[in-house]
């Protein structure tokens, strides 16, 4: 009998345990939906001015704590309890002021107030810009592109090619802007617009900052109308001037100015478009802007590849979206398809970069009515050469590091600083106004969120 009683006792305890679990679950379930209301309903018995009494009691407690801290000499400047006698008196008076008395709010009244506040101040969604990548889907087909096979122009240094280019201009009786006197009405010797065809990670932001410093209205990546690359692509399709509808800038006062300099005008997509790579891009510039300026800053191709392969998803998109890696097939890129299969990938991209320089050089020699300026990024005299060509002081050349990682690594407060200096890296971030137009932040997946207002 004792053994049977023990078994019954164990069974009874097990049943009681599981019933307790079920009861607890039901209690939590029903409590979660009405807990907030119950929490306030139990105050229905309280007097209407209970919240006023609580405020008075809390205010007196803070005043007493402040007086104790003053006597002990441990009061801290700027703390919540650090108040003058006049402030304490005003606080006591405000606590007794009937106009501060508010009825106790319940869940229903809180929801009603929030709904009224939302109706009075509805949050307006920011409209998409005209030239936005969101207007395109991922199935947008890659556009045909081309690069030349190596020619003698490829092996010329920047100084040698510019000497050859100047001789060709003079032979065709085209004037050289940097040899003309600069009047007071022009901030630069170069004819506008100035279109920078630098590849990403080839001083695109540095050049924008340089011309902006010289007084030219300059933009980088985007205007208020959206991405420059999309603007130029759509205008090319419509046979319009490449910068139509994205060639003006307006400030907060509504003043509109003509944009004189653009850089970082490519788009890795989707859609993918680079005027200097895709068919028809350079021809559209020559057709609609026969007197414009083409600027190209080049750098060592190996250094460029080492830099761009670390720059977010840019090189990945060049392979998968733009099909610059030999996966786009056509007669004009057969040479590059074969090279991509045969060579090391680092060598392929290095040759790709150099061929881009060669293509623009050939374009400049073919369209001598345009003004072409080429400088070498690693050249210690780059600032001096820029001043010679543009008339803008070499002191405007800055060392710019786009993207948020620069701020994190160096604790810097500005993306640009004089060459060889970190600038105000150790200064408090709040003490220096950082430009809000960090428009070269391509580490973000969605580049169209980085649209900036062009600055004078």
């Amino acid at each position: 009998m004792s053994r049977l009683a023990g078994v019954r006792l164990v069974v009874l305890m097990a049943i009681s345990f599981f019933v307790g679990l079920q009861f607890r679950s039901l209690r939590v379930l029903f409590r979660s939906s009405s807990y907030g209301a119950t929490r306030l309903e139990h105050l229905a018995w309280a007097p209407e001015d209970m919240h006023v009494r609580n405020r008075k009691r809390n205010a007196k407690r803070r005043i007493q704590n402040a007086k104790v801290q003053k006597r002990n000499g441990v009061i801290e400047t700027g703390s919540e309890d650090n108040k003058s006698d006049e402030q304490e008196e005003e606080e006591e008076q405000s606590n007794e002021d009937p106009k501060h008395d508010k009825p106790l709010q319940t869940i229903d009244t809180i929801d009603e107030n929030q709904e009224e506040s939302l109706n009075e101040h509805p949050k307006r969604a920011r409209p998409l810009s005209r030239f936005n990548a969101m207007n395109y889907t991922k199935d947008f087909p890659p556009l045909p592109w081309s690069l030349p096979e190596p020619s003698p122009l490829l092996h010329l240094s920047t100084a040698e090619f510019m000497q050859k280019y100047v001789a060709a201009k003079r032979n065709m009786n085209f004037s050289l802007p940097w040899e003309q006197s600069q009047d007071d009405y022009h901030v630069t010797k170069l004819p506008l617009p100035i279109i920078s065809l630098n590849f990403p990670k080839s001083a695109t932001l540095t050049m924008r900052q340089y011309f902006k410093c010289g007084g030219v209205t300059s933009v980088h990546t985007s205007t208020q109308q959206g991405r420059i690359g999309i603007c130029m692509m759509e205008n090319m399709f419509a046979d319009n001037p490449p910068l139509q509808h994205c060639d003006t800038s307006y400030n907060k006062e509504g003043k509109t100015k003509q944009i004189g300099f653009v850089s970082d005008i490519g788009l890795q997509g989707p859609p993918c478009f680079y005027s200097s790579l895709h068919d028809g891009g350079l021809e559209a510039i020559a057709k609609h802007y026969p007197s414009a300026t083409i600027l190209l800053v080049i750098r060592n191709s190996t250094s460029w590849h080492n830099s761009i392969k670390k720059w977010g998803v840019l090189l990945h998109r060049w392979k998968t979206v733009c099909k610059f890696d030999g996966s786009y097939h056509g007669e004009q890129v057969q040479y590059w398809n074969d090279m991509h299969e045969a060579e090391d990938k680092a060598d392929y991209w290095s040759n790709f970069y150099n061929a881009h320089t060669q293509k623009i050089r050939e374009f400049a020699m073919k369209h001598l009515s345009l003004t072409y300026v080429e400088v070498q990024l690693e050249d210690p005299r780059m600032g001096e050469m820029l001043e010679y060509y543009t008339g803008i002081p070499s002191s405007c050349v800055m060392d710019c590091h786009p993207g948020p990682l620069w701020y994190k690594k160096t604790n810097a407060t500005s993306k640009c600083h004089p060459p060889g200096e970190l600038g105000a890296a150790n200064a408090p971030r709040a003490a220096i106004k950082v430009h809000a137009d960090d428009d070269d932040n391509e580490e973000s997946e969605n580049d169209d969120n980085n649209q900036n207002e062009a600055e004078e």
Side-chain angles (χ1 to χ4, degrees), residues 2-297:
S2 60
R3 182 177 181 182
L4 181 60
V7 172
R8 289 178 178 176
L9 181 61
V10 171
V11 172
L12 182 62
M13 291 176 61
I15 294 175
S16 301
F17 175 74
F18 286 109
V19 170
L21 287 179
Q22 295 297 325
F23 175 76
R24 182 180 180 183
S25 300
L26 290 174
R27 185 179 63 177
V28 172
L29 177 65
F30 286 102
R31 181 185 179 187
S32 61
S33 60
S34 58
Y35 173 71
T38 305
R39 184 178 56 183
L40 290 177
E41 286 175 359
H42 82 277
L43 295 176
W45 58 267
E48 294 181 357
D49 62 343
M50 188 185 71
H51 59 290
V52 178
R53 300 180 185 178
N54 290 337
R55 279 209 306 268
K56 291 180 179 179
R57 183 174 62 252
N58 293 335
K60 291 180 179 179
R61 184 182 297 114
R62 288 196 299 270
I63 294 171
Q64 292 174 355
N65 292 337
K67 291 180 179 179
V68 171
Q69 290 182 353
K70 285 181 181 180
R71 286 196 300 267
N72 297 335
V74 295
I75 190 72
E76 295 182 1
T77 304
S79 66
E80 183 179 356
D81 295 327
N82 183 20
K83 301 178 182 179
S84 63
D85 295 337
E86 291 79 8
Q87 290 175 320
E88 295 171 359
E89 293 177 1
E90 290 177 1
E91 185 173 9
E92 290 181 348
Q93 293 175 1
S94 64
N95 290 331
E96 297 174 358
D97 193 342
K99 67 182 179 182
H100 290 276
D101 296 349
K102 297 180 181 179
L104 185 67
Q105 288 187 321
T106 63
I107 295 294
D108 294 336
T109 59
I110 292 175
D111 292 340
E112 291 175 1
N113 293 340
Q114 291 177 345
E115 185 176 356
E116 291 178 1
S117 177
L118 291 175
N119 293 334
E120 292 176 1
H121 305 285
K123 182 179 289 187
R124 292 182 297 178
R126 182 179 180 182
L128 290 177
S129 58
R130 176 172 181 174
F131 304 109
N132 194 295
M134 298 291 290
N135 299 328
Y136 295 85
T137 58
K138 293 184 178 180
D139 57 355
F140 186 85
L143 300 174
W145 60 276
S146 63
L147 282 176
E149 298 182 23
S151 74
L153 284 180
L154 174 64
H155 306 291
L156 296 179
S157 66
T158 294
E160 292 171 341
F161 174 76
M162 287 302 295
Q163 185 178 4
K164 182 180 182 67
Y165 171 76
V166 167
K169 291 269 287 186
R170 286 174 174 162
N171 187 48
M172 296 298 295
N173 295 322
F174 285 107
S175 61
L176 298 170
W178 47 86
E179 293 182 347
Q180 309 300 317
S181 59
Q182 183 176 355
D183 55 50
D184 297 335
Y185 298 98
H186 296 84
V187 294
T188 179
K189 296 178 180 179
L190 299 179
L192 304 180
I194 304 170
I195 302 175
S196 175
L197 297 179
N198 310 358
F199 265 166
K201 306 306 296 177
S202 296
T204 56
L205 185 59
T206 296
M207 288 299 100
R208 185 261 187 177
Q209 188 70 18
Y210 172 74
F211 283 97
K212 175 187 172 183
C213 173
V216 181
T217 303
S218 308
V219 294
H220 177 273
T221 307
S222 303
T223 69
Q224 286 99 343
Q225 292 78 28
R227 286 297 296 258
I228 301 173
I230 296 179
C231 173
M232 298 184 75
M233 180 187 71
E234 293 183 359
N235 282 325
M236 186 190 72
F237 292 155
D239 196 23
N240 293 326
L243 296 175
Q244 182 173 302
H245 304 304
C246 57
D247 58 352
T248 56
S249 169
Y250 56 88
N251 55 22
K252 295 180 180 179
E253 290 73 26
K255 183 180 178 181
T256 303
K257 299 197 73 173
Q258 194 76 15
I259 294 174
F261 173 86
V262 293
S263 66
D264 192 36
I265 58 177
L267 187 75
Q268 61 268 19
C272 175
F273 181 76
Y274 287 82
S275 295
S276 54
L277 285 172
H278 288 103
D279 296 353
L282 290 176
E283 290 72 18
I285 294 175
K287 176 181 179 180
H288 295 282
Y289 305 123
S291 301
T293 299
I294 300 297
L295 173 68
L296 184 67
V297 180

